[in-house]
Amino acid sequence: MKGKMNLNVILFMGTLLVFFLLNIFHSDDEVVTNLENRSLAQKPPFTWKSLFSGQYVQDYEHYFSDQFIFRHSFISYGKTLNGLRGFSGEDEVTLVVTNGNNMHESLDSEVIPVFSSTGSETTEVRGHIVSTDVGVQTIEEINDINMGGNLVGINSGNNLQVNSESIADADENSQVNFGTNADQIQGELDGELENEIETGEELDKNAIHEVEEAGEEKEAGNEVSNNDNEQHTEEESQLQGSYLVVGNQAVFVYYYNPSAAEQYANALNAFSARVGNDVNIYNLVVPTAIQYLNNEKYRKMAPSQAKAIEYVNQNLNEHIQSIYAYERLEQHKNEYIYFRTDHHWTALGAYYAYTAFIEQIGKSPVPLEQYEESDNGTFLGSTYNATLNGNLENDPDKLIYYKPNLEYTYRLSYGGDLITMALYHPNQWGYRFFLAGDPSWATIQTEQEGESILIIKDSYANAMVPFLIPHYKAIYIVDGRHYTGNVYELMKENDINNVLFLNSSTVTSHPGYTRVLEEKLELQ
């Protein structure tokens, strides 16, 4: 018996030693993981200051986690095991709570595609990349379902299989409350999520940024409620990083934070006051896919985004015109308006939002049949990368787009000079096909006469911008997360008197993106 214990100890210690040595001598660090569609942490530079502050140890832990030997293999094995767990019924639902997913890169940790004058693509890394673990490698079943609507037993960092019938047995009018303390995650979010994207000073790309600190007091008398009943608590808001997989679709679980929604409205009001009444300002907030999920009992796991958006609109001053795109999307919710494996909307969904915008400003939209519909193949997007769900893998999204029938020139900048680029870039993967990703700023010059428009946006705008080409002489596109210029000088130099704020509903969940806007637009 003693010999067997000694053998177990030797095997255990030997395994640790082998992996320790492999990681020590493994020097071929990856920059980007295609499997997870995100940047990987790089070895942090050593300084005495960072060591004594604790930052160096924290960054090195992130680096070690991201560059662990055979990491992708372990993730793939976890995905395979995940497919063997849970319930195999037609209505099976998977809830994935990630811990530290930086699928939506932060401002200073993004991988930037750099294009040559011929349009060929290279890759460089801006800044020091620090990321955290993607918590989808372990599996744990839910231990308890509270039939009063509380779903408990969820730990951050776990991939969890949920019996859909158990959730369905909960009160249909109850908000499903996740008892978790999932950590903040970084993209749109489309996008984005689109977005993780994570933050405050640094934020995520597709609209997923930071959560408010637990315990922060909510606004009294808020008009928006969860499923007509109650508001999200701060604890519920910390579900950031949760994905719901229903059949062949994965959606980010939206949560609502009234203080974040009000802060976004206040930022737009401050911008309006800064530029004056001679500038037409429009606000279009795009709901995420869970708002239109074709399954009512699971759609109720998140509060109404329409009401959250309306709360933003109610707090805007009279000089800002609200665009009710969510109503138009509701009319077409049974169509392919959102990707199933990505957090962004499709070009078709963006088209319907475009029609709402153009009609509200008194113009006529171009009928969809007048565009040339094209197919750029299939892809697996951000929500697949976050969940690694087999149902999604077996049924990838189609990338359909609509070519404008007008002459135009598209130029973009990732921090340097503007270069001419294809509006739909064939070398870009997935949703980054639109506008060649998320440049810091870009312009579209057309042969139209008339006005120009500035779009201040996150990645959700990328699929909608091309539809605006027939209506403006010039379109200026600024991504507030990356733009380093002066927006007011840009408006003055190019005689811009129309501004459209086009962002996803994550601005009503957390204030990270808004804080960046406040800083970049000098609204503080």
Side-chain angles (χ1 to χ4, degrees):
M1 183 69 179
K2 184 176 180 180
K4 186 176 181 180
M5 290 182 61
N6 290 337
L7 178 61
N8 288 337
V9 171
I10 292 173
L11 289 175
F12 176 73
M13 297 302 296
T15 301
L16 292 180
L17 179 62
V18 168
F19 275 96
F20 172 77
L21 294 175
L22 286 173
N23 280 286
I24 287 295
F25 293 105
H26 173 70
S27 59
D28 188 19
D29 292 342
E30 294 182 274
V31 175
V32 179
T33 166
N34 291 326
L35 178 65
E36 302 163 57
N37 188 31
R38 68 180 183 91
S39 305
L40 292 175
Q42 302 299 293
K43 190 174 183 178
F46 175 84
T47 64
W48 289 109
K49 181 179 180 180
S50 64
L51 177 65
F52 287 121
S53 69
Q55 187 64 45
Y56 178 79
V57 175
Q58 181 180 355
D59 289 352
Y60 201 93
E61 181 182 355
H62 295 158
Y63 160 72
F64 183 78
S65 176
D66 269 8
Q67 303 294 344
F68 191 83
I69 193 76
F70 307 135
R71 182 177 184 275
H72 284 175
S73 297
F74 286 130
I75 293 176
S76 297
Y77 295 152
K79 179 190 71 171
T80 302
L81 289 174
N82 175 56
L84 301 176
R85 298 291 294 273
F87 299 86
S88 57
E90 181 180 353
D91 202 25
E92 178 189 339
V93 173
T94 303
L95 180 69
V96 179
V97 183
T98 61
N99 178 11
N101 184 343
N102 76 335
M103 173 180 60
H104 308 280
E105 322 295 344
S106 69
L107 180 66
D108 293 325
S109 64
E110 63 180 299
V111 175
I112 307 167
V114 180
F115 302 95
S116 69
S117 58
T118 60
S120 60
E121 180 181 351
T122 59
T123 301
E124 69 179 27
V125 179
R126 172 169 55 186
H128 172 55
I129 297 179
V130 176
S131 62
T132 52
D133 299 336
V134 176
V136 295
Q137 301 176 43
T138 60
I139 302 172
E140 179 177 316
E141 293 181 340
I142 293 180
N143 298 319
D144 186 25
I145 300 277
N146 182 321
M147 305 316 291
N150 292 327
L151 182 64
V152 298
I154 300 179
N155 298 319
S156 66
N158 293 339
N159 186 342
L160 303 157
Q161 298 287 343
V162 183
N163 183 345
S164 58
E165 294 181 359
S166 297
I167 297 179
D169 288 339
D171 182 359
E172 287 285 335
N173 295 320
S174 297
Q175 172 68 35
V176 179
N177 171 29
F178 301 94
T180 180
N181 60 348
D183 294 335
Q184 296 180 11
I185 68 169
Q186 259 186 313
E188 279 181 113
L189 66 162
D190 45 332
E192 168 356 224
L193 62 117
E194 19 20 49
N195 39 229
E196 225 228 34
I197 77 157
E198 354 239 321
T199 71
E201 293 73 29
E202 297 183 13
L203 84 150
D204 305 343
K205 269 185 183 176
N206 256 271
I208 302 176
H209 314 295
E210 63 175 359
V211 277
E212 290 287 278
E213 293 184 357
E216 179 176 339
E217 219 174 75
K218 285 184 174 288
E219 299 290 333
N222 180 8
E223 299 183 28
V224 184
S225 62
N226 282 340
N227 301 321
D228 301 329
N229 291 323
E230 56 188 62
Q231 300 174 9
H232 265 348
T233 64
E234 286 296 331
E235 182 181 8
E236 290 166 337
S237 294
Q238 292 180 359
L239 246 191
Q240 184 178 14
S242 298
Y243 296 85
L244 181 70
V245 184
V246 182
N248 65 348
Q249 182 178 12
V251 295
F252 189 79
V253 180
Y254 167 82
Y255 64 90
Y256 172 63
N257 183 341
S259 63
E262 185 170 358
Q263 185 173 350
Y264 181 71
N266 290 339
L268 268 59
N269 290 335
F271 178 81
S272 173
R274 175 89 182 250
V275 299
N277 298 339
D278 292 334
V279 176
N280 301 313
I281 302 176
Y282 310 99
N283 175 52
L284 196 165
V285 178
V286 185
T288 58
I290 197 170
Q291 174 71 19
Y292 306 109
L293 189 65
N294 190 24
N295 190 311
E296 184 178 2
K297 62 186 176 185
Y298 301 125
R299 188 170 63 247
K300 287 186 176 181
M301 294 176 72
S304 169
Q305 294 178 63
K307 292 187 176 183
I309 294 170
E310 184 57 31
Y311 181 69
V312 172
N313 295 339
Q314 290 172 356
N315 281 276
L316 296 175
N317 68 43
E318 59 184 6
H319 301 296
I320 301 176
Q321 185 172 344
S322 300
I323 308 301
Y324 294 91
Y326 64 82
E327 295 179 348
R328 187 64 52 87
L329 291 168
E330 176 70 27
Q331 297 171 8
H332 298 275
K333 64 182 180 181
N334 294 324
E335 300 177 39
Y336 190 35
I337 60 174
Y338 285 87
F339 291 115
R340 294 174 292 95
T341 73
D342 193 270
H343 67 285
H344 295 100
W345 56 3
T346 64
L348 182 62
Y351 171 79
Y352 290 132
Y354 145 78
T355 62
F357 170 65
I358 287 298
E359 289 173 1
Q360 279 191 235
I361 64 175
K363 299 183 180 182
S364 299
V366 177
L368 189 62
E369 55 268 19
Q370 292 188 16
Y371 288 90
E372 178 186 348
E373 180 178 317
S374 299
D375 186 342
N376 196 53
T378 61
F379 77 102
L380 294 170
S382 58
T383 56
Y384 166 75
N385 295 322
T387 62
L388 299 177
N389 184 273
N391 291 338
L392 306 184
E393 183 179 21
N394 295 330
D395 193 6
D397 276 301
K398 293 182 180 180
L399 194 57
I400 305 297
Y401 64 104
Y402 304 89
K403 295 181 180 179
N405 294 318
L406 296 170
E407 294 296 325
Y408 62 88
T409 301
Y410 177 54
R411 304 176 71 206
L412 59 77
S413 169
Y414 272 95
D417 295 334
L418 287 169
I419 59 174
T420 302
M421 187 57 55
L423 190 65
Y424 302 103
H425 199 281
N427 294 335
Q428 288 285 13
W429 177 87
Y431 189 79
R432 292 182 65 84
F433 174 74
F434 298 103
L435 303 190
D438 283 311
S440 57
W441 75 289
T443 70
I444 301 176
Q445 300 294 327
T446 76
E447 296 182 349
Q448 305 296 107
E449 297 293 333
E451 300 178 311
S452 299
I453 187 171
L454 169 65
I455 302 174
I456 300 176
K457 59 89 180 180
D458 64 15
S459 60
Y460 267 73
N462 297 7
M464 180 175 147
V465 165
F467 295 113
L468 300 178
I469 290 175
H471 305 282
Y472 292 97
K473 176 179 67 176
I475 302 171
Y476 295 86
I477 307 157
V478 165
D479 192 316
R481 300 165 295 181
H482 315 306
Y483 186 62
T484 57
N486 187 297
V487 166
Y488 306 105
E489 292 180 1
L490 180 68
M491 293 175 62
K492 183 178 180 179
E493 291 171 0
N494 296 282
D495 193 26
I496 300 171
N497 57 7
N498 296 284
V499 179
L500 169 63
F501 286 87
L502 202 169
N503 297 287
S504 73
S505 61
T506 53
V507 297
T508 64
S509 297
H510 30 67
Y513 178 81
T514 301
R515 289 174 180 170
V516 170
L517 284 185
E518 290 171 339
E519 178 183 350
K520 296 294 183 65
L521 300 179
E522 301 174 1
L523 304 176
Q524 296 173 319

